[in-house]
Amino acid sequence: MTLPDDGTREEPERSVAAAFTREHHQIDEGIERFLADAAERDPARRARPLLSAMEALRRHIYLEEEVVFPRLPPGPLMMSLMVMRREHGELWTRMDALAEILEDDSSAASGIVEACTELLSLLEDHNRKEEPIIYPHLDTDLSPQEQSLVRELLAGSALPEGWICQALR
Ligand SMILES: [Fe+2]
Ligand SMILES: [Fe+2]
């Protein structure tokens, strides 16, 4: 029996767009947790959610640039993808600066909150374009095989050693 096509989509967790959007939220939450945890006296323990968020963001950008973006139809998305890559470069530079502040204990108190707030606002600006303009294509323009590959990589891949985003090469 053929069911009528009522336009229902896959479950959210089967949607690659939803999985990438969820990762945006998890990354934001990690940075926010760091900002909210000013009472934590142990700097290494306090930095943990921020370091995990940055690690996740670097891998997120890697998967977008190396796996997802090259598989999208280039024509109508070309300009938007260029903007996304340029903004990845800005995010990457901010993360490098943040990592440097975190390594230098003496300046940990000064500048870190501002740097995190700046990173959050860059992310908000980036994600509010990426989610409606790029992400719908992840579910409609990637083949089922490509979608499973991306889901697999999201679930269990690491950033290759030494990889940096395309805008900074
Ligand atoms: Fe993203
Ligand atoms: Fe992105």
Side-chain angles (χ1 to χ4, degrees), residues 60 64 69 84 88 126 130:
H60 181 96
E64 288 181 348
F69 290 179
M84 294 297 99
H88 288 168
H126 181 72
E130 193 169 63

Short mmCIF file of all heavy atoms in Angstrom, two decimals, residues 60 64 69 84 88 126 130, ligand 2:
data_model
loop_
_atom_site.label_atom_id
_atom_site.label_comp_id
_atom_site.label_asym_id
_atom_site.label_seq_id
_atom_site.Cartn_x
_atom_site.Cartn_y
_atom_site.Cartn_z
N HIS A 60 33.31 21.30 13.59
CA HIS A 60 32.09 21.66 12.88
C HIS A 60 32.44 22.40 11.57
O HIS A 60 31.92 22.08 10.50
CB HIS A 60 31.26 22.55 13.82
CG HIS A 60 29.95 23.02 13.28
ND1 HIS A 60 28.76 22.37 13.53
CD2 HIS A 60 29.63 24.09 12.51
CE1 HIS A 60 27.78 23.02 12.94
NE2 HIS A 60 28.28 24.07 12.31
N GLU A 64 31.86 21.22 7.67
CA GLU A 64 31.15 22.06 6.69
C GLU A 64 32.03 22.29 5.45
O GLU A 64 31.57 22.11 4.32
CB GLU A 64 30.75 23.39 7.34
CG GLU A 64 29.61 23.21 8.33
CD GLU A 64 29.16 24.49 8.99
OE1 GLU A 64 29.84 25.53 8.88
OE2 GLU A 64 28.10 24.45 9.64
N PHE A 69 29.92 21.49 2.26
CA PHE A 69 29.85 22.56 1.26
C PHE A 69 30.22 22.07 -0.15
O PHE A 69 29.55 22.43 -1.12
CB PHE A 69 30.72 23.76 1.66
CG PHE A 69 30.21 24.56 2.84
CD1 PHE A 69 30.93 25.67 3.30
CD2 PHE A 69 29.03 24.23 3.50
CE1 PHE A 69 30.48 26.41 4.39
CE2 PHE A 69 28.59 24.97 4.59
CZ PHE A 69 29.32 26.06 5.03
N MET A 84 30.10 32.34 4.14
CA MET A 84 30.25 31.39 5.25
C MET A 84 31.74 31.10 5.49
O MET A 84 32.21 31.08 6.62
CB MET A 84 29.51 30.07 4.96
CG MET A 84 27.99 30.18 4.89
SD MET A 84 27.22 30.72 6.43
CE MET A 84 26.96 32.45 6.13
N HIS A 88 33.95 31.84 8.75
CA HIS A 88 34.69 30.78 9.46
C HIS A 88 36.10 31.28 9.80
O HIS A 88 36.63 30.99 10.87
CB HIS A 88 34.79 29.51 8.61
CG HIS A 88 33.49 28.77 8.46
ND1 HIS A 88 33.31 27.76 7.55
CD2 HIS A 88 32.31 28.89 9.12
CE1 HIS A 88 32.08 27.29 7.65
NE2 HIS A 88 31.45 27.97 8.59
N HIS A 126 26.62 34.47 12.23
CA HIS A 126 26.92 33.43 11.23
C HIS A 126 25.77 32.43 11.14
O HIS A 126 25.26 32.13 10.06
CB HIS A 126 28.21 32.72 11.64
CG HIS A 126 28.67 31.65 10.71
ND1 HIS A 126 29.20 31.90 9.47
CD2 HIS A 126 28.66 30.29 10.82
CE1 HIS A 126 29.51 30.77 8.87
NE2 HIS A 126 29.19 29.77 9.67
N GLU A 130 23.44 30.92 8.15
CA GLU A 130 23.73 29.55 7.70
C GLU A 130 22.51 28.63 7.86
O GLU A 130 22.22 27.82 6.97
CB GLU A 130 24.91 29.01 8.52
CG GLU A 130 25.53 27.75 7.98
CD GLU A 130 26.84 27.44 8.69
OE1 GLU A 130 26.82 27.21 9.92
OE2 GLU A 130 27.87 27.46 8.02
FE FE B 2 29.50 27.60 9.35
#
